[in-house]
Amino acid sequence: MEELNLMKQAVQALMTGMPLALRDPHRPVWHLAPSVGLLNDPNGFIQHNGVYHLFYQWNPLGCDHRNKCWGHWQSTDLLNWQHQPVALVPGACYDSHGCYSGSAVVADGKIMLAYTGNVKYPDGSRTAYQCLALENAQGGYDKLGPVLPLPEGYSGHVRDPKVWRHQDSWYMVLGARDLQDRGKVLLLRSADLRSWQLLGEIAGTQLNGMGDFGYMWECPDLFTLADAEVLICCPQGLAAQDERYLNVYQAGYLTGKLDYRQAAFEHGEFHELDAGFEFYAPQTMLAEDGRRLLVGWMGVPEQDEACHPTLQYGWIHTMTCPRELSLQNGKLYQQPARELQRLRGEGSQWQGMADNAPGWPVGSAEVMLTPNGAFSADFGDAMTLSWDGALLRLTRNNLRNGQPEHRYWRGEVTHLQMLFDSSSVEIFINHGEGVMSSRYFPGPQPRLRLSGEAQLALEHWPLTPCML
Ligand code: FRU
């Protein structure tokens, strides 16, 4: 569809669809969600002149993975976000089948977007171009066209440019599937953002001792944290294990040292970033105050989309809350961005045996829990969290025709911070050592109920809506 036509239809979809979407009792009140249609990856996350920008993969015309545009929000506090003009709409010959994921940098004082133009052919084949678009005076973005066609030796799946500045050059990582169906991350360099040189493959299947590690790696992100390099990536094609890799696709990270000149990345093992049901394609940025912030998509491609009750209201998926990253003993920790504390209403505290706990409303709430033994917590019948002293188990009861499904985090649990918003929970374990992010769909006015003989200390705050 050409750009103008798509935009006209998007306006129509918004006008007719928004009143319905806003009536959805499962609509988040402080998370980012699409006005109508489908949201997936966060894109172009950046702070410029004090203003945070978050772009996102958006299909305004339906709840399926087509017509991918870049929606755009901005904020000065990471809490209240304002809609901006839609940044990218597919339709040019180099992005006819979607303006796919990418990132943002500031070049010559302006925001420059790097994204993937996805092109599909009638015979089912496809190609991809890495493209640029530059901020204009109206707050919109002008496409500058492709700067990189498919590199030789790769399939049509080469995408999701993450660009950053290091010393005197620009660098880019790309996710790729090679001609032998091996997932890879490519490193490229440019002096001017326009002409790119492929330096090599820095991670992937059969590289650096990884063995078979998936047929495609999506959405790479590379950054330095506490003197190490962290490579976030989303491998597709990992076989599920007992307690790991249980989502359809994984999001995780490798830490190590990148030799920019040799394009060599010596890294340790792959760790999942999140042990919950929904988390994928996260993107990070360096805030002006030096924090490394992350936002993820609280969804997973091809996972359970048809079951989401929000479809009846014409929208699907949300972002995670913004998180602060730190590296502790080689492990990536995630904590809710400190700004979120400003949403807290009047707090209350409780201590005692779990079985005697009164129950707390968790429609939009934050709960801190310090357990002292095994316990179980029910979030309004749709989801249960239990700890037996060794294994934390999250059970969802009401998505796949009431069939219970489980996710796990193994280890000593000394502290839990849980953020609830209408149809999601993000559970931060031991101040960010682990996270479980999940959508769940409780009945009206869900309450947290505890059970077990363990002694617990709990703090509860209602969270004030800021995204209605
Ligand atoms: C990840 C992803 C990206 C792609 C985008 C398309 O969820 O598949 O690789 O650029 O979504 O929407």
Side-chain angles (χ1 to χ4, degrees), residues 40-41 57 65 68 100-101 159-160 218-219 280-281 297 301:
N40 57 302
D41 312 354
Q57 288 286 286
H65 286 268
K68 292 294 172 68
Y100 274 15
S101 285
R159 57 176 172 263
D160 310 335
E218 297 190 303
C219 299
Y280 199 70
W297 171 32

Side-chain angles (χ1 to χ4, degrees), residues 274-415:
D274 195 291
F277 288 93
E278 273 86 21
F279 184 86
Y280 199 70
Q283 192 171 97
T284 75
M285 60 90 107
L286 190 60
E288 287 168 355
D289 61 12
R291 288 180 295 169
R292 178 60 60 175
L293 300 178
L294 172 147
V295 170
W297 171 32
M298 212 159 3
V300 178
E302 295 159 49
Q303 180 171 291
D304 295 330
E305 291 187 327
C307 308
H308 282 230
T310 67
L311 290 180
Q312 294 151 31
Y313 292 86
W315 70 279
I316 187 164
H317 300 310
T318 75
M319 292 298 175
T320 67
C321 70
R323 302 170 180 182
E324 296 180 18
L325 299 185
S326 61
L327 203 60
Q328 299 177 31
N329 302 322
K331 235 184 191 181
L332 203 56
Y333 277 60
Q334 302 176 59
Q335 289 191 280
R338 61 197 69 174
E339 283 85 344
L340 291 166
Q341 292 173 17
R342 289 201 237 138
L343 298 180
R344 289 177 182 168
E346 203 180 320
S348 59
Q349 295 185 348
W350 180 86
Q351 236 173 338
M353 188 165 77
D355 274 339
N356 297 333
W360 292 266
V362 288
S364 174
E366 177 174 349
V367 173
M368 295 239 202
L369 208 139
T370 314
N372 202 347
F375 73 96
S376 180
D378 182 293
F379 310 154
D381 293 328
M383 190 164 255
T384 310
L385 180 71
S386 62
W387 191 56
D388 64 6
L391 186 67
L392 192 65
R393 187 167 75 166
L394 188 64
T395 302
R396 179 159 70 189
N397 300 311
N398 71 345
L399 206 58
R400 291 189 180 161
N401 299 324
Q403 261 181 296
E405 319 161 69
H406 308 286
R407 294 293 182 271
Y408 309 94
W409 188 85
R410 189 167 278 284
E412 184 69 18
V413 176
T414 55
H415 186 264

